[in-house]
Amino acid sequence: MAKLPILEFPDERLRTIATPVETVDDEVRRLVDDMLETMYDASGIGLAATQVDVHRRVIVIDVSDGQSRPLVLINPQFTPLGEEREPMQEGCLSIPEYYAEVPRALRVHLEALDRDGQPYEMEAEGLLAHCIQHEYDHLEGVLFVDYLSALKRDRVMKKMHKRHRQMQPA
Ligand code: GNR
Ligand code: NI
C-alpha cells in the first residue's frame, strides 16, 4: 500500500468529473487500498479518488469508531429519502482547517459496487449520509465551499493561498 498526495483547493484538478470504473480489477483494488491508507493516515472519514488526482468513480469511507469498518463505493448512485435536510459541520481533506455547516439530505439510499466488484445497496443516515453526499460531490468536481456565499468562499481561497505560499516559499 502507498500513501498518496491529496490535492488542495483551489487546485483546478479537483473540478474534474470522474469517469465510471469498467471492471473492478487488481489495479482498482490497489487504488482502493492506497486510498484507505491515505484516508486513515490523514484521519479523514472519507476520500474520493478525485482528491488523489485519479479521476475515476471510487470512494472510500469509514465513519466507525476506531476506524475499523472501511466502506468501498465504486460507481456509486444515491437517492435522497424524503425531504428532510439537516445542516452538519463539514470539513474536507482538500480544504484543511476550514469547517462550515452544509445542509444535505438526512437519509439516502445508496447503490454501489464493493472492492470485489459485487453490487450492494444500503440506506444511510446522519454522518454517513452526509459523507456519501460530500464524496459523491468530489466525483462531480464539487466542493462543500461551493455551497457557501461568494464572500466566504473568497476568504477560504485567500487562506489557502497563504497556506500554499508558506508551504513552498519562493
Ligand atoms: O474527514 C472528513 N470529515 C467530514 C465531516 C463531515 C462531512 C464530510 C466529511 S468528509 C471529510 C474527508 C474528505 O474530505 N472527504 O472528501
Ligand atoms: Ni472532501
Side-chain angles (χ1 to χ4, degrees):
M1 296 222 276
K3 193 172 99 85
L4 306 168
I6 298 175
L7 299 178
E8 293 190 359
F9 178 73
D11 194 310
E12 278 302 311
R13 289 171 289 181
L14 288 168
R15 299 308 186 175
T16 314
I17 296 175
T19 57
V21 169
E22 281 187 15
T23 23
V24 180
D25 54 17
D26 286 349
E27 189 202 331
V28 172
R29 273 185 284 276
R30 186 173 324 122
L31 171 65
V32 164
D33 293 345
D34 289 348
M35 285 172 61
L36 282 166
E37 182 176 347
T38 305
M39 175 183 76
Y40 288 132
D41 181 79
S43 304
I45 58 167
L47 187 73
T50 310
Q51 292 175 278
V52 294
D53 202 21
V54 176
H55 301 287
R56 308 178 75 183
R57 302 187 85 83
V58 177
I59 289 168
V60 294
I61 292 178
D62 194 339
V63 295
S64 70
D65 290 339
Q67 297 219 297
S68 54
R69 296 191 51 179
L71 208 57
V72 175
L73 292 69
I74 298 171
N75 299 343
Q77 297 283 0
F78 77 89
T79 27
L81 294 172
E83 297 299 303
E84 212 173 335
R85 296 293 177 274
E86 178 192 56
M88 190 177 280
Q89 181 106 318
E90 293 195 14
C92 182
L93 295 173
S94 296
I95 313 171
E97 292 161 46
Y98 184 78
Y99 305 89
E101 297 251 312
V102 182
R104 298 193 193 265
L106 174 64
R107 301 176 62 228
V108 298
H109 180 263
L110 168 74
E111 286 178 61
L113 304 179
D114 67 14
R115 192 179 173 284
D116 299 315
Q118 291 299 312
Y120 68 94
E121 48 187 297
M122 66 183 285
E123 285 185 16
E125 64 174 22
L127 182 61
L128 179 56
H130 263 260
C131 193
I132 289 168
Q133 294 168 81
H134 173 116
E135 304 311 336
Y136 188 91
D137 271 354
H138 277 301
L139 302 183
E140 296 292 315
V142 173
L143 297 165
F144 82 93
V145 290
D146 298 347
Y147 299 110
L148 308 179
S149 68
L151 181 71
K152 282 187 185 170
R153 198 163 46 249
D154 224 61
R155 281 198 209 121
V156 180
M157 186 100 73
K158 284 185 181 137
K159 193 179 139 137
M160 291 300 291
H161 280 308
K162 186 176 172 192
R163 167 186 164 89
H164 295 145
R165 274 199 308 277
Q166 284 167 348
M167 281 167 57
Q168 283 167 320

